Every structure is written in C-alpha cells, then in structure tokens.
Amino acid sequence: MLNPTEQTRLLQMESSFSSEFGSAAKIAVRAPGRVNLIGEHTDYNDGFVMPAAIERSVLMLAAPSNTGRIQVHALNYNQSSTFSIEGVQPTGDSRERWSNYLRAMVWVLQGEGISVPGLNMVVQGDVPLGSGLSSSAAMLVAAGLLLSEAAQSPLSPVQLALLAQKAEREFVGVNVGIMDQYISALGKQAHALLIDTRSLEYEAISLPVSGVSLIIADTSKRRGLVDSEYNTRRSECERAVEILSQHLPQIKALRDVSVEQFLSLQQHLPEPVRSRAKHVITENQRTLDMAEALKLGDMQRCGKLMNESHQSLQIDYAVSCRELDAMTEAARSLQGVYGSRMTGAGFGGCTVSLVADEALENFQRELPRIYQQHTGLEAALLVSKAAPGAERIL
Ligand code: ADP
Ligand code: MG
C-alpha cells in the first residue's frame, strides 16, 4: 500500500522509466527506512530491539531486458550504471558506489541458486542518505524483493531480510546486525516490532493512533569514525562475555545476563568494558519494559525509558555526540515531550522524541530554533507514522 507521497514518486518514476528505456516497467517494489524506538547497540549482543518502518522508502521499477546485464538509473544521483549479471564484482568507482547495493543482491541471490535475469531499472528513494534511518537497508531489501520477483523465485520476508543482511555484510562490507533489514522487510503499519535478534521471533506492538506522535529530528551531523568505534564496542562486549562467563558459564552473549547478575558481578570487569556491558544489559531490559509500557498506553513511562536509553548511550556506551545531546536536551526542555533519545548507531544522525499531539506545533517550531541556537546547525524534522514493510506494488 502506497502513501500519497509514494504514489506521486511512483508516477514520476514511471515516466522516467519510459523515457530512459522506451517501454513501460513491469515490476515495482517499495521498501521502507526505519527508526529504532529503543534497543540500541543490543542487536549484535543477541538482544532485543524495537524499530518501526517509516513513511520514507526506496522505490524500484524494472522490466526484463534479455541483455544479461542490469542497466540501472538512480534518480537521486542522476546517474546510470550497467553491469553484467555474470561474475558480479564491487565497483571500485566511488561515484557509482550506490550501484554496489544492487550488485550485492545479485551476488547473494546467485549464491542461493537464483538466476537473476537481465533488467532495466529505475531507483529512487526519500530516506535521507547516511542519516541513520537506514536507506542502505531500504535499498537492499527493495533490490532483493525486485530481483527475486523478476527471477520468479519469491522469498519469504525473513529470507529477504537475512539475504539483505548478508549482502551488506559480505559484499558491501559493513558488519551490520539484522535489525534494519528485518524491519524493512517485515514492518507493520501502526506498529513497532519487538524483535528478539537471537531467535528472530518478533511481536508487533501497537503504537498509539492518536494522542502522541513520534518525531524524528535529523541533527544534520553526518556520522564520522563510526566503523572503528563500532568495532571497538563489539570487542568490548565480547570481552565482557568472556569475563562474565567465568562466573556464569551458560552465557553466550550479554543478552543472557540479567541486570541483577550484572550488578553482583560488575566488579570483575575493568573499565570501559564494565560501562559498555552495563549499557547493553540495561538497554535490553528497557526495551522489554518499553513493550509493556506501550501495551499499557503509559506514555510517561515510555518517555522515561527513552531518556534513560539516551543517557546510557551517552555516558556508558559513549556513542552520542554534542549534536545528539543538544537535540535531545532541546526536545526535553519543551512542553508536552515525554522523552527523547538518539536513534541509530550514534556519532550523528537522528533523534526520536515522543510528543503529545497538542504540543506538536510548538515542538516543530521551537526545536529547530533552540537546536540552531546551541549548535549553529539546521535540524530537519520528519513526522511519520509506522509504515508497512517491503512489498511488490506492480
Ligand atoms: P544509512 O543506511 O544510514 O542511510 P548508509 O551509509 O548505510 O547510510 O547507506 C547510504 C548509502 O545507500 C548511500 O550512500 C547509497 O550508496 C545507498 N542508497 C540509499 N538510498 C539510495 C537511493 N535512493 N538511490 C541510490 N542509492 C541509495
Ligand atoms: Mg546503513
């Protein structure tokens, strides 16, 4: 189901497709970006996350071409790329890096014995690039859905998510968890998903339809240094498991350690490993608590958990930055704001705030003003309901 913006975008893409290739598209798909409400840096610790798909997506149109090649035009970049289906390799051309996401999915599907046909394609997205709303997952999930449909080898949404994750890890070369691809493939309108990243089981948690809104605010600070910091955090978490497993031999990941166990064993952990473990273990609990609070409609509690999550990410996990702190502080200073936190990996990107509907207008006016006063930067606000996951639309 397309929202009104997507309908307009699709029409424009159809006309681009016919002027580019001289015929009509036969297949179209959409895959959304996402916002994580709570459960940050828990996914690679086998823990819980709670993302929702957003009303921003990547759309792809295609028609079979019998050329043995994929010829794709990216409207966001106004660039085209052509590559042969046989022996796909990453392009070394940095200007065309976006097309690696398609190559990656072709490569992964081939690994599954699915033979992708030659295709003409047009791609367009309105998930901001590199803002932490996971345009990369939207791109990969859209590509996976489109290519598998074109190959007449439909995938289940979970398979689609797993293959998109594999593509990002093994071909694009970013060591991602499963959250982004999973929510893009399985998102549900008006719901967040509480996902157990170990078992991949999930529960759809209904979000309030009125009374409150979730507002995403982009700090316009692009993430820097993320990869090396990310790898450091991962190894610190592994170190914590190593040490804690001397006392708790059954644990496999920080997900297996309760807050009580952590409190009684924390003296065995050196800093900064102790603080990192504290974040992950308490964040896991907060994510479960958030699901309960949402079910009870207890917005005060939801907001409090979001604030605590931010503080934990800022102090214990040390993945926030001046801009994210300034934006969440500005949000909390405004009336009718239940809570506010950074979302995504950190070091820039977006915040998410839970705001009472009657305070929304004031929030939208005041937040960018205060943020600019403190940082000199522009804030971009994005209001979105929880959207459905990826689907074929033509
Ligand atoms: P994020 O996932 O946080 O948005 P990433 O750096 O992981 O940031 O992924 C962004 C990259 O994904 C872009 O640089 C581009 O290569 C690719 N991408 C995302 N959306 C599109 C799009 N609409 N068209 C082409 N490439 C896209
Ligand atoms: Mg990404």
Side-chain angles (χ1 to χ4, degrees):
M1 197 177 43
L2 295 182
N3 65 45
T5 317
E6 286 169 334
Q7 279 167 14
T8 312
R9 288 163 52 209
L10 182 63
L11 286 176
Q12 287 165 352
M13 289 175 76
E14 281 173 333
S15 94
S16 304
F17 190 96
S18 39
S19 54
E20 190 83 15
F21 300 113
S23 62
K26 297 284 193 301
I27 305 175
V29 299
R30 65 169 276 281
R34 62 100 186 93
V35 61
N36 192 24
L37 305 190
I38 199 160
E40 217 67 77
H41 289 280
T42 47
D43 62 347
Y44 51 87
N45 291 292
D46 277 4
F48 296 94
V49 294
M50 201 195 292
I54 56 173
E55 292 164 326
R56 297 290 187 103
S57 58
V58 167
L59 302 180
M60 283 185 194
L61 265 61
S65 71
N66 291 323
T67 56
R69 287 181 307 172
I70 295 215
Q71 190 173 344
V72 52
H73 185 68
L75 288 168
N76 296 79
Y77 293 94
N78 192 25
Q79 269 180 13
S80 295
S81 184
T82 303
F83 59 92
S84 170
I85 304 259
E86 294 304 317
V88 195
Q89 291 199 352
T91 172
D93 184 345
S94 61
R95 287 165 306 171
E96 254 190 52
R97 272 245 305 277
W98 58 269
S99 67
N100 276 344
Y101 292 85
L102 286 176
R103 292 165 211 260
M105 275 320 299
V106 171
W107 177 80
V108 163
L109 292 177
Q110 284 171 340
E112 297 296 303
I114 296 173
S115 58
V116 175
L119 291 169
N120 292 329
M121 294 177 59
V122 170
V123 182
Q124 193 270 345
D126 66 358
V127 187
L129 308 180
S131 285
L133 300 177
S134 216
S135 67
S136 61
M139 185 77 184
L140 285 162
V141 169
L145 182 56
L146 183 110
L147 296 171
S148 60
E149 288 288 323
Q152 294 179 323
S153 302
L155 302 169
S156 75
V158 173
Q159 277 177 315
L160 179 60
L162 287 168
L163 294 177
Q165 181 199 23
K166 186 172 187 203
E168 191 150 4
R169 278 186 142 157
E170 294 179 20
F171 194 96
V172 181
V174 188
N175 194 7
V176 290
I178 187 63
M179 167 167 69
D180 300 355
Q181 289 77 10
Y182 202 87
I183 186 67
S184 183
L186 283 100
K188 185 170 173 196
Q189 183 149 35
H191 290 73
L193 300 188
L194 173 65
I195 304 168
D196 178 337
T197 64
R198 172 177 279 167
S199 68
L200 295 186
E201 281 168 9
Y202 70 90
E203 184 185 354
I205 308 284
S206 139
L207 295 173
V209 276
S210 64
V212 289
S213 301
L214 285 163
I215 314 291
I216 299 163
D218 193 338
T219 59
S220 73
K221 163 92 181 341
R222 289 291 160 265
R223 298 162 306 180
L225 284 176
V226 181
D227 292 353
S228 63
E229 293 289 339
Y230 186 74
N231 290 332
T232 314
R233 295 301 178 283
R234 279 186 96 118
S235 47
E236 287 162 348
C237 291
E238 281 162 22
R239 183 77 191 116
V241 173
E242 249 170 59
I243 298 172
L244 291 172
S245 64
Q246 292 164 12
H247 307 271
L248 302 166
Q250 74 287 6
I251 66 167
K252 301 250 174 325
L254 287 179
R255 131 61 171 295
D256 299 314
V257 182
S258 70
V259 175
E260 292 69 30
Q261 286 170 328
F262 171 77
L263 291 175
S264 69
L265 293 169
Q266 58 173 326
Q267 73 275 12
H268 300 292
L269 301 172
E271 285 294 356
V273 172
R274 185 193 307 172
S275 299
R276 308 299 188 244
K278 181 178 169 209
H279 165 72
V280 173
I281 293 164
T282 56
E283 182 79 353
N284 249 330
Q285 188 57 50
R286 278 188 290 273
T287 308
L288 296 171
D289 292 348
M290 179 87 164
E292 290 311 310
L294 280 168
K295 286 181 200 165
L296 295 171
D298 185 347
M299 293 303 121
Q300 302 279 2
R301 176 121 181 87
C302 289
K304 186 162 175 283
L305 290 164
M306 290 168 77
N307 290 339
E308 287 170 4
S309 167
H310 185 83
Q311 197 184 16
S312 176
L313 287 157
Q314 179 188 356
I315 293 167
D316 290 327
Y317 219 60
V319 291
S320 187
C321 61
R322 197 172 66 85
E323 292 80 0
L324 288 167
D325 295 340
M327 187 80 91
T328 50
E329 269 164 41
R332 283 185 218 117
S333 76
L334 294 169
Q335 253 188 3
V337 176
Y338 291 105
S340 185
R341 60 181 290 274
M342 57 162 271
T343 182
F347 303 109
C350 294
T351 67
V352 58
S353 306
L354 188 62
V355 185
D357 280 349
E358 62 272 15
L360 205 54
E361 229 183 274
N362 183 58
F363 184 88
Q364 288 177 286
R365 189 181 55 246
E366 289 299 308
L367 186 75
R369 193 183 61 75
I370 304 173
Y371 178 67
Q372 187 174 35
Q373 234 172 31
H374 284 91
T375 60
L377 296 171
E378 304 261 334
L381 297 196
L382 195 157
V383 185
S384 174
K385 301 267 181 228
E391 62 199 321
R392 183 167 174 175
I393 51 178
L394 172 71

